[in-house]
Amino acid sequence: MVSRRNVMKAGATAGAAALVTTTAAAAAHGSTPPATPAHGTHTGHGATAHVAAAAAPFSVRMPIPPVQQPIASVANTDFYLLSTRKAQAEILPGTRTDVLTYNGLFPGPTFRVRTGRLAVIAHTNHLDMPTAVHVHGGHTPSSSDGFPTDVLEPGKSRIYSYPNKQRAATLWYHDHAHHMEAEHVFRGLAGFFLIDDPDQAELRLPSGNYDIPIMLRDARFADDASLVFEHDDFQFRNTILANGKPQPYFQVAARKYRLRFVNASNLRTFTLRLGNDVEVAQIASDGGLLAGPTPIRSWSLTPGERIEIVVDFGAFPIGSQVFLDDVEAGPVLRFDVNRAAADSSRVPDRLSTIPTLPAATKERAFTLNLNPSTGQFLINGKTFDADRVDTEIKRNTTEVWTVTNGDTLFGIPHNFHPHLVQFRVLSRNGQPPAPGEAGMKDTIAVGPGETVRLQATFGPYLGRYVYHCHMIDHSASGMMAQMKIVP
């Protein structure tokens, strides 16, 4: 297992767009929540354990982030409002914590969209600093992808368009403003972006109230319950949150559930298991459904990765308490089986057809490593420069990328995430990918000394995008590069 603890030990119509822009401008004149402390302030390393101990385990219910509703729908387009603002949230019971939010929520609201249906989001920035929203895993025009320097300034509004012309999948959105992304995500700028495909209804997977998104992350708190951000602080972010709550419980019926996990941590890798190594069915990874279900008893997620599993809580007597454990952090969530329920859902043997990619016309190699003399994280020996194009790719061509983690001296883990595309994993250290990595992916773990080979078709949009380590304290320190898709 890769562990940080091992380290150094297309657009809408003009009229519809005008409607959303006008509504967003009106929203910008609303009240502003209380301010957060200045970025970069923090207290001593001992604060986290003190506050975490004050919260009784499994004393609060895990909430489900509300689904954001469109303000209007025209033909094949839905229009939404989104604001970035400061707010306060009750994270540790009985306390209030200053956070950065989307629409005042921690985590942000869930966008639930349909494949092939355009989502137009008017985003207003109420913060006193720039922001750039990125839909992680989205096949998005470059103007709406959240390029790290294509920021939305304080007090301004802009339109983001998401065509959603891709497979149904569990995606998420988060801040991507360069040099600020790590702290902004740590302070709360993240939420689910779920793409549904009505054609999948015939599979009869658990749905509705039995389809549960779970955002896992870690955090560090001072004695006054304020969030403490310190760059590359992988040792002291020891409070684990599930949908924004520490060690919550969640009541379930004795039936099958579809659980969608995203690791929204800056640096932490989760290795999870349910109960006493209960077997569950993995049905999807980053890019949507696998070809068929894969039985697993544990699963690992590096930052940015997603997994979907189906758990049959009908295998437990009513009254059971079933714990979700992390191999390092211990129990992170408790499921309470408290009622019976009818269940017509199933997990079919065949889930989907994994897209076949064309033959590659070019191969490239990338090495991820730390420069110990400068403390900068690098790709192919270079730190990120928004004015430099590192990789130029012809639109709709297929390439094979070989990605190697060169940080063997200190054993630093990395992972790898290119924007715009999903990829197929061809091999890991010369071996075929494990079943859980055999579907479509957009983020992949690359442990110290490991090499992965990835195949992707780059398109259909032109413009500039980035690829980077999604241990975002690393990308904020330079482990990011720019690719340009050209005609």
Side-chain angles (χ1 to χ4, degrees), residues 87 96 98 110 124 166 190 209 219 252 292 307 340 347 365 374 397 437 471:
R96 304 293 291 176
D98 292 324
T110 295
T124 301
Q166 60 189 103
N209 292 333
V252 295
I307 189 175
V347 181
T374 65
T397 58
E437 290 186 333
M471 295 182 171

mmCIF file with all atom_site columns, all heavy atoms in Angstrom, residues 87 96 98 110 124 166 190 209 219 252 292 307 340 347 365 374 397 437 471:
data_model
loop_
_atom_site.group_PDB
_atom_site.id
_atom_site.type_symbol
_atom_site.label_atom_id
_atom_site.label_alt_id
_atom_site.label_comp_id
_atom_site.label_asym_id
_atom_site.label_entity_id
_atom_site.label_seq_id
_atom_site.pdbx_PDB_ins_code
_atom_site.Cartn_x
_atom_site.Cartn_y
_atom_site.Cartn_z
_atom_site.occupancy
_atom_site.B_iso_or_equiv
_atom_site.pdbx_formal_charge
_atom_site.auth_seq_id
_atom_site.auth_comp_id
_atom_site.auth_asym_id
_atom_site.auth_atom_id
_atom_site.pdbx_PDB_model_num
ATOM 1   N N   . ALA A 1 87  ? -18.188 30.713 4.597   1.00 0.00 ? 87  ALA A N   1
ATOM 2   C CA  . ALA A 1 87  ? -19.314 30.332 5.443   1.00 0.00 ? 87  ALA A CA  1
ATOM 3   C C   . ALA A 1 87  ? -18.762 29.675 6.691   1.00 0.00 ? 87  ALA A C   1
ATOM 4   O O   . ALA A 1 87  ? -17.543 29.522 6.851   1.00 0.00 ? 87  ALA A O   1
ATOM 5   C CB  . ALA A 1 87  ? -20.263 29.389 4.695   1.00 0.00 ? 87  ALA A CB  1
ATOM 6   N N   . ARG A 1 96  ? -18.146 25.745 15.505  1.00 0.00 ? 96  ARG A N   1
ATOM 7   C CA  . ARG A 1 96  ? -18.308 26.328 14.185  1.00 0.00 ? 96  ARG A CA  1
ATOM 8   C C   . ARG A 1 96  ? -16.936 26.554 13.583  1.00 0.00 ? 96  ARG A C   1
ATOM 9   O O   . ARG A 1 96  ? -16.028 27.048 14.250  1.00 0.00 ? 96  ARG A O   1
ATOM 10  C CB  . ARG A 1 96  ? -19.058 27.660 14.248  1.00 0.00 ? 96  ARG A CB  1
ATOM 11  C CG  . ARG A 1 96  ? -20.419 27.577 14.932  1.00 0.00 ? 96  ARG A CG  1
ATOM 12  C CD  . ARG A 1 96  ? -21.409 26.747 14.140  1.00 0.00 ? 96  ARG A CD  1
ATOM 13  N NE  . ARG A 1 96  ? -21.821 27.387 12.905  1.00 0.00 ? 96  ARG A NE  1
ATOM 14  C CZ  . ARG A 1 96  ? -22.622 26.817 12.014  1.00 0.00 ? 96  ARG A CZ  1
ATOM 15  N NH1 . ARG A 1 96  ? -23.074 25.573 12.210  1.00 0.00 ? 96  ARG A NH1 1
ATOM 16  N NH2 . ARG A 1 96  ? -22.967 27.461 10.924  1.00 0.00 ? 96  ARG A NH2 1
ATOM 17  N N   . ASP A 1 98  ? -14.803 28.113 10.193  1.00 0.00 ? 98  ASP A N   1
ATOM 18  C CA  . ASP A 1 98  ? -14.802 28.917 8.974   1.00 0.00 ? 98  ASP A CA  1
ATOM 19  C C   . ASP A 1 98  ? -14.299 28.070 7.811   1.00 0.00 ? 98  ASP A C   1
ATOM 20  O O   . ASP A 1 98  ? -13.234 27.441 7.901   1.00 0.00 ? 98  ASP A O   1
ATOM 21  C CB  . ASP A 1 98  ? -13.908 30.138 9.137   1.00 0.00 ? 98  ASP A CB  1
ATOM 22  C CG  . ASP A 1 98  ? -14.451 31.141 10.138  1.00 0.00 ? 98  ASP A CG  1
ATOM 23  O OD1 . ASP A 1 98  ? -15.677 31.304 10.199  1.00 0.00 ? 98  ASP A OD1 1
ATOM 24  O OD2 . ASP A 1 98  ? -13.643 31.756 10.867  1.00 0.00 ? 98  ASP A OD2 1
ATOM 25  N N   . THR A 1 110 ? -24.243 18.651 -4.854  1.00 0.00 ? 110 THR A N   1
ATOM 26  C CA  . THR A 1 110 ? -24.022 17.663 -5.911  1.00 0.00 ? 110 THR A CA  1
ATOM 27  C C   . THR A 1 110 ? -24.731 18.093 -7.179  1.00 0.00 ? 110 THR A C   1
ATOM 28  O O   . THR A 1 110 ? -25.922 18.416 -7.160  1.00 0.00 ? 110 THR A O   1
ATOM 29  C CB  . THR A 1 110 ? -24.543 16.289 -5.466  1.00 0.00 ? 110 THR A CB  1
ATOM 30  O OG1 . THR A 1 110 ? -23.775 15.822 -4.361  1.00 0.00 ? 110 THR A OG1 1
ATOM 31  C CG2 . THR A 1 110 ? -24.464 15.277 -6.602  1.00 0.00 ? 110 THR A CG2 1
ATOM 32  N N   . THR A 1 124 ? -20.326 32.693 -9.658  1.00 0.00 ? 124 THR A N   1
ATOM 33  C CA  . THR A 1 124 ? -19.978 33.996 -9.104  1.00 0.00 ? 124 THR A CA  1
ATOM 34  C C   . THR A 1 124 ? -19.007 33.803 -7.957  1.00 0.00 ? 124 THR A C   1
ATOM 35  O O   . THR A 1 124 ? -19.229 32.959 -7.081  1.00 0.00 ? 124 THR A O   1
ATOM 36  C CB  . THR A 1 124 ? -21.236 34.727 -8.600  1.00 0.00 ? 124 THR A CB  1
ATOM 37  O OG1 . THR A 1 124 ? -22.148 34.898 -9.697  1.00 0.00 ? 124 THR A OG1 1
ATOM 38  C CG2 . THR A 1 124 ? -20.882 36.097 -8.036  1.00 0.00 ? 124 THR A CG2 1
ATOM 39  N N   . GLN A 1 166 ? -20.116 12.008 -22.494 1.00 0.00 ? 166 GLN A N   1
ATOM 40  C CA  . GLN A 1 166 ? -19.230 10.947 -22.028 1.00 0.00 ? 166 GLN A CA  1
ATOM 41  C C   . GLN A 1 166 ? -20.026 9.920  -21.261 1.00 0.00 ? 166 GLN A C   1
ATOM 42  O O   . GLN A 1 166 ? -21.223 10.095 -21.004 1.00 0.00 ? 166 GLN A O   1
ATOM 43  C CB  . GLN A 1 166 ? -18.122 11.537 -21.156 1.00 0.00 ? 166 GLN A CB  1
ATOM 44  C CG  . GLN A 1 166 ? -18.613 12.277 -19.918 1.00 0.00 ? 166 GLN A CG  1
ATOM 45  C CD  . GLN A 1 166 ? -17.486 13.013 -19.208 1.00 0.00 ? 166 GLN A CD  1
ATOM 46  O OE1 . GLN A 1 166 ? -17.348 14.220 -19.317 1.00 0.00 ? 166 GLN A OE1 1
ATOM 47  N NE2 . GLN A 1 166 ? -16.681 12.271 -18.426 1.00 0.00 ? 166 GLN A NE2 1
ATOM 48  N N   . ALA A 1 190 ? -14.999 21.711 -2.833  1.00 0.00 ? 190 ALA A N   1
ATOM 49  C CA  . ALA A 1 190 ? -15.128 20.426 -3.525  1.00 0.00 ? 190 ALA A CA  1
ATOM 50  C C   . ALA A 1 190 ? -16.569 19.947 -3.432  1.00 0.00 ? 190 ALA A C   1
ATOM 51  O O   . ALA A 1 190 ? -17.276 20.235 -2.455  1.00 0.00 ? 190 ALA A O   1
ATOM 52  C CB  . ALA A 1 190 ? -14.185 19.385 -2.923  1.00 0.00 ? 190 ALA A CB  1
ATOM 53  N N   . ASN A 1 209 ? -32.742 6.489  -3.199  1.00 0.00 ? 209 ASN A N   1
ATOM 54  C CA  . ASN A 1 209 ? -32.256 6.608  -1.823  1.00 0.00 ? 209 ASN A CA  1
ATOM 55  C C   . ASN A 1 209 ? -31.215 5.563  -1.463  1.00 0.00 ? 209 ASN A C   1
ATOM 56  O O   . ASN A 1 209 ? -30.638 5.621  -0.369  1.00 0.00 ? 209 ASN A O   1
ATOM 57  C CB  . ASN A 1 209 ? -33.429 6.496  -0.841  1.00 0.00 ? 209 ASN A CB  1
ATOM 58  C CG  . ASN A 1 209 ? -34.374 7.676  -0.930  1.00 0.00 ? 209 ASN A CG  1
ATOM 59  O OD1 . ASN A 1 209 ? -33.966 8.770  -1.300  1.00 0.00 ? 209 ASN A OD1 1
ATOM 60  N ND2 . ASN A 1 209 ? -35.643 7.451  -0.606  1.00 0.00 ? 209 ASN A ND2 1
ATOM 61  N N   . ALA A 1 219 ? -8.420  16.138 7.653   1.00 0.00 ? 219 ALA A N   1
ATOM 62  C CA  . ALA A 1 219 ? -8.356  17.543 8.031   1.00 0.00 ? 219 ALA A CA  1
ATOM 63  C C   . ALA A 1 219 ? -7.530  17.679 9.304   1.00 0.00 ? 219 ALA A C   1
ATOM 64  O O   . ALA A 1 219 ? -7.249  16.697 10.000  1.00 0.00 ? 219 ALA A O   1
ATOM 65  C CB  . ALA A 1 219 ? -9.765  18.111 8.249   1.00 0.00 ? 219 ALA A CB  1
ATOM 66  N N   . VAL A 1 252 ? -28.951 2.395  7.375   1.00 0.00 ? 252 VAL A N   1
ATOM 67  C CA  . VAL A 1 252 ? -29.258 1.720  6.119   1.00 0.00 ? 252 VAL A CA  1
ATOM 68  C C   . VAL A 1 252 ? -30.298 0.637  6.351   1.00 0.00 ? 252 VAL A C   1
ATOM 69  O O   . VAL A 1 252 ? -30.445 0.111  7.471   1.00 0.00 ? 252 VAL A O   1
ATOM 70  C CB  . VAL A 1 252 ? -27.992 1.089  5.493   1.00 0.00 ? 252 VAL A CB  1
ATOM 71  C CG1 . VAL A 1 252 ? -26.993 2.173  5.103   1.00 0.00 ? 252 VAL A CG1 1
ATOM 72  C CG2 . VAL A 1 252 ? -27.348 0.079  6.431   1.00 0.00 ? 252 VAL A CG2 1
ATOM 73  N N   . GLY A 1 292 ? -17.638 -5.881 -15.890 1.00 0.00 ? 292 GLY A N   1
ATOM 74  C CA  . GLY A 1 292 ? -18.429 -6.723 -15.006 1.00 0.00 ? 292 GLY A CA  1
ATOM 75  C C   . GLY A 1 292 ? -18.009 -6.472 -13.577 1.00 0.00 ? 292 GLY A C   1
ATOM 76  O O   . GLY A 1 292 ? -16.957 -5.868 -13.309 1.00 0.00 ? 292 GLY A O   1
ATOM 77  N N   . ILE A 1 307 ? -14.357 5.216  -6.725  1.00 0.00 ? 307 ILE A N   1
ATOM 78  C CA  . ILE A 1 307 ? -14.746 3.816  -6.857  1.00 0.00 ? 307 ILE A CA  1
ATOM 79  C C   . ILE A 1 307 ? -16.218 3.718  -6.503  1.00 0.00 ? 307 ILE A C   1
ATOM 80  O O   . ILE A 1 307 ? -16.727 4.482  -5.674  1.00 0.00 ? 307 ILE A O   1
ATOM 81  C CB  . ILE A 1 307 ? -13.894 2.904  -5.945  1.00 0.00 ? 307 ILE A CB  1
ATOM 82  C CG1 . ILE A 1 307 ? -14.138 1.426  -6.250  1.00 0.00 ? 307 ILE A CG1 1
ATOM 83  C CG2 . ILE A 1 307 ? -14.185 3.177  -4.481  1.00 0.00 ? 307 ILE A CG2 1
ATOM 84  C CD1 . ILE A 1 307 ? -13.236 0.476  -5.476  1.00 0.00 ? 307 ILE A CD1 1
ATOM 85  N N   . ALA A 1 340 ? -35.968 -3.251 7.696   1.00 0.00 ? 340 ALA A N   1
ATOM 86  C CA  . ALA A 1 340 ? -36.116 -4.096 6.508   1.00 0.00 ? 340 ALA A CA  1
ATOM 87  C C   . ALA A 1 340 ? -36.583 -3.237 5.341   1.00 0.00 ? 340 ALA A C   1
ATOM 88  O O   . ALA A 1 340 ? -37.128 -2.138 5.531   1.00 0.00 ? 340 ALA A O   1
ATOM 89  C CB  . ALA A 1 340 ? -37.124 -5.204 6.790   1.00 0.00 ? 340 ALA A CB  1
ATOM 90  N N   . VAL A 1 347 ? -26.978 -6.985 -9.154  1.00 0.00 ? 347 VAL A N   1
ATOM 91  C CA  . VAL A 1 347 ? -25.663 -6.691 -9.743  1.00 0.00 ? 347 VAL A CA  1
ATOM 92  C C   . VAL A 1 347 ? -25.478 -7.692 -10.875 1.00 0.00 ? 347 VAL A C   1
ATOM 93  O O   . VAL A 1 347 ? -25.080 -8.838 -10.639 1.00 0.00 ? 347 VAL A O   1
ATOM 94  C CB  . VAL A 1 347 ? -24.536 -6.807 -8.705  1.00 0.00 ? 347 VAL A CB  1
ATOM 95  C CG1 . VAL A 1 347 ? -23.193 -6.479 -9.366  1.00 0.00 ? 347 VAL A CG1 1
ATOM 96  C CG2 . VAL A 1 347 ? -24.782 -5.882 -7.524  1.00 0.00 ? 347 VAL A CG2 1
ATOM 97  N N   . ALA A 1 365 ? 7.009   9.682  -22.497 1.00 0.00 ? 365 ALA A N   1
ATOM 98  C CA  . ALA A 1 365 ? 7.422   9.240  -21.155 1.00 0.00 ? 365 ALA A CA  1
ATOM 99  C C   . ALA A 1 365 ? 7.476   10.436 -20.221 1.00 0.00 ? 365 ALA A C   1
ATOM 100 O O   . ALA A 1 365 ? 7.922   11.531 -20.599 1.00 0.00 ? 365 ALA A O   1
ATOM 101 C CB  . ALA A 1 365 ? 8.779   8.549  -21.214 1.00 0.00 ? 365 ALA A CB  1
ATOM 102 N N   . THR A 1 374 ? 15.579  22.112 -3.872  1.00 0.00 ? 374 THR A N   1
ATOM 103 C CA  . THR A 1 374 ? 14.674  23.261 -3.949  1.00 0.00 ? 374 THR A CA  1
ATOM 104 C C   . THR A 1 374 ? 13.336  23.004 -3.276  1.00 0.00 ? 374 THR A C   1
ATOM 105 O O   . THR A 1 374 ? 12.583  23.947 -3.012  1.00 0.00 ? 374 THR A O   1
ATOM 106 C CB  . THR A 1 374 ? 14.411  23.637 -5.415  1.00 0.00 ? 374 THR A CB  1
ATOM 107 O OG1 . THR A 1 374 ? 13.708  22.553 -6.064  1.00 0.00 ? 374 THR A OG1 1
ATOM 108 C CG2 . THR A 1 374 ? 15.715  23.919 -6.147  1.00 0.00 ? 374 THR A CG2 1
ATOM 109 N N   . THR A 1 397 ? -6.101  12.177 -31.775 1.00 0.00 ? 397 THR A N   1
ATOM 110 C CA  . THR A 1 397 ? -5.091  11.133 -31.927 1.00 0.00 ? 397 THR A CA  1
ATOM 111 C C   . THR A 1 397 ? -4.934  10.382 -30.616 1.00 0.00 ? 397 THR A C   1
ATOM 112 O O   . THR A 1 397 ? -5.259  10.890 -29.539 1.00 0.00 ? 397 THR A O   1
ATOM 113 C CB  . THR A 1 397 ? -3.723  11.716 -32.354 1.00 0.00 ? 397 THR A CB  1
ATOM 114 O OG1 . THR A 1 397 ? -3.294  12.677 -31.374 1.00 0.00 ? 397 THR A OG1 1
ATOM 115 C CG2 . THR A 1 397 ? -3.821  12.386 -33.703 1.00 0.00 ? 397 THR A CG2 1
ATOM 116 N N   . GLU A 1 437 ? -8.705  -1.753 -12.088 1.00 0.00 ? 437 GLU A N   1
ATOM 117 C CA  . GLU A 1 437 ? -8.106  -0.714 -12.925 1.00 0.00 ? 437 GLU A CA  1
ATOM 118 C C   . GLU A 1 437 ? -8.292  -1.023 -14.410 1.00 0.00 ? 437 GLU A C   1
ATOM 119 O O   . GLU A 1 437 ? -7.685  -0.371 -15.252 1.00 0.00 ? 437 GLU A O   1
ATOM 120 C CB  . GLU A 1 437 ? -6.614  -0.562 -12.624 1.00 0.00 ? 437 GLU A CB  1
ATOM 121 C CG  . GLU A 1 437 ? -6.327  0.046  -11.260 1.00 0.00 ? 437 GLU A CG  1
ATOM 122 C CD  . GLU A 1 437 ? -4.853  0.332  -11.042 1.00 0.00 ? 437 GLU A CD  1
ATOM 123 O OE1 . GLU A 1 437 ? -3.995  -0.351 -11.648 1.00 0.00 ? 437 GLU A OE1 1
ATOM 124 O OE2 . GLU A 1 437 ? -4.555  1.246  -10.233 1.00 0.00 ? 437 GLU A OE2 1
ATOM 125 N N   . MET A 1 471 ? -1.955  14.545 -5.865  1.00 0.00 ? 471 MET A N   1
ATOM 126 C CA  . MET A 1 471 ? -1.654  14.883 -4.488  1.00 0.00 ? 471 MET A CA  1
ATOM 127 C C   . MET A 1 471 ? -1.384  16.389 -4.549  1.00 0.00 ? 471 MET A C   1
ATOM 128 O O   . MET A 1 471 ? -0.259  16.831 -4.754  1.00 0.00 ? 471 MET A O   1
ATOM 129 C CB  . MET A 1 471 ? -0.493  14.059 -3.978  1.00 0.00 ? 471 MET A CB  1
ATOM 130 C CG  . MET A 1 471 ? -0.845  12.582 -3.918  1.00 0.00 ? 471 MET A CG  1
ATOM 131 S SD  . MET A 1 471 ? 0.471   11.550 -3.282  1.00 0.00 ? 471 MET A SD  1
ATOM 132 C CE  . MET A 1 471 ? -0.410  9.990  -3.102  1.00 0.00 ? 471 MET A CE  1
#
